[in-house]
Amino acid sequence: MSVLHNIGTIISAFIILGFISTRLPRLKQMTDGTVYEIGYLVIMGLLSLTISYFNKSTHGDSVLSPFIEMFRMLSVVLIFTYIATKSKSFKAIVNGDMSRKTIFWQIVICTVLAVLASYFTMDVNGVPANARGLVVMIASLLGGPYIGLPVGIISGVLRMFMGGPTAFACGVSTIMASVVGSLIFIWNGGKFLRAYKSAILMFLFSGFDMFLITILTPRPQGVIIANNLYAPMAFASVLGILLFSLFLGEKKEEDEESEELKQTIDDNSVKISTNSDIIDINTNKIISISQELDEYKAKADESERELQKYKDKVDNLESQLKEIKSKL
């Protein structure tokens, strides 16, 4: 089991750090992309192995184990989130398209992610933990109340029906995540928060989440659960939203660059079209002038031939005149 645990930790590190490296092209431009990514993942994998070995050799499972478990859970959530970002509706939301079709599909996708996060839990100090709140907060910050509230309410009510001592508290917390995220979305003008602001928000909400557990769960069980979950849940939530914020920032930059390139191409196409029209007009003028010039040349040649005939007649008459004068 120890070997499997270490392997799982390494795979999780590869997933998360691979996610980072492939989402930060600016860093990859500093060296060869493939070499950088492989080297980066190998180094971080070895670092994860070392930490895991040190943790076990010093019997430090009680300190680092919860964070490692949340780290592993977060890697799975990131995989599903990354797949979801490949959808057309996500790209539309990022570009500010809030059509009914886009909103509907984003609600479906985010709800599915939140439900999966509810069922995919990790045991942290004997308490099940998940990233449902993180998914709901991201959905709310990304799409506002139109997306966040339906996702939060559906996943929150589902959590209540799943049962357990924290069922009601976690359900209420999930709904509150959608409310808070939606309010922040409106306050920020419909834009996703910058990375450091989203991290601060998630850290503060993690504390609020634990507060709800302490007051909505029978004592002393609620206090014990909150004490066990707070640090690893805050760690996973802050790290998760930071990674998503970085990815979203890079995505927006790519879309802006693509839009600028498209606009440049369109502008050049207009210029080419305008120049083509000018060339066509000038070409027609050149053809018309050339035809007219050829006509005048033909007339000039004809006039020159007639003039030559008159000159010949004049010469003939002058010759005749000289003969007549010589006879006189």
Side-chain angles (χ1 to χ4, degrees), residues 45-229:
L46 292 174
L47 178 61
S48 176
L49 230 182
T50 304
I51 293 174
S52 180
Y53 176 78
F54 177 78
N55 183 33
K56 288 189 174 298
S57 64
T58 56
H59 305 287
D61 287 340
S62 59
V63 177
L64 295 181
S65 179
F67 296 93
I68 293 175
E69 291 299 323
M70 295 302 294
F71 187 77
R72 289 150 61 88
M73 180 193 68
L74 185 60
S75 67
V76 177
V77 174
L78 282 177
I79 290 175
F80 288 112
T81 303
Y82 179 74
I83 294 173
T85 58
K86 295 299 180 181
S87 64
K88 291 182 180 179
S89 60
F90 175 82
K91 296 177 181 179
I93 287 291
V94 171
N95 293 325
D97 177 12
M98 295 292 284
S99 64
R100 291 182 179 179
K101 182 179 179 181
T102 299
I103 292 174
F104 171 77
W105 282 113
Q106 275 302 106
I107 290 174
V108 172
I109 292 172
C110 292
T111 301
V112 170
L113 287 174
V115 171
L116 289 175
S118 297
Y119 282 99
F120 184 75
T121 61
M122 285 290 178
D123 183 77
V124 177
N125 294 328
V127 180
N130 58 67
R132 179 184 56 257
L134 172 63
V135 174
V136 173
M137 183 65 77
I138 288 175
S140 303
L141 292 175
L142 189 63
Y146 298 107
I147 297 174
L149 290 180
V151 174
I153 292 172
I154 294 171
S155 56
V157 171
L158 175 65
R159 175 63 187 92
M160 292 180 186
F161 280 103
M162 289 173 65
T166 60
F168 182 70
C170 290
V172 171
S173 174
T174 301
I175 296 173
M176 287 302 299
S178 67
V179 173
V180 172
S182 298
L183 290 175
I184 296 295
F185 174 87
I186 296 171
W187 171 74
N188 200 42
K191 298 179 181 179
F192 200 92
L193 288 177
R194 298 179 66 178
Y196 76 94
K197 290 183 179 180
S198 62
I200 294 173
L201 172 64
M202 208 65 220
F203 177 77
L204 295 176
F205 187 82
S206 296
F208 177 70
D209 186 10
M210 296 303 108
F211 172 72
L212 289 177
I213 290 177
T214 59
I215 64 174
L216 297 179
T217 304
R219 291 177 177 269
Q221 192 174 12
V223 176
I224 295 173
I225 292 173
N227 287 336
N228 289 334
L229 284 183

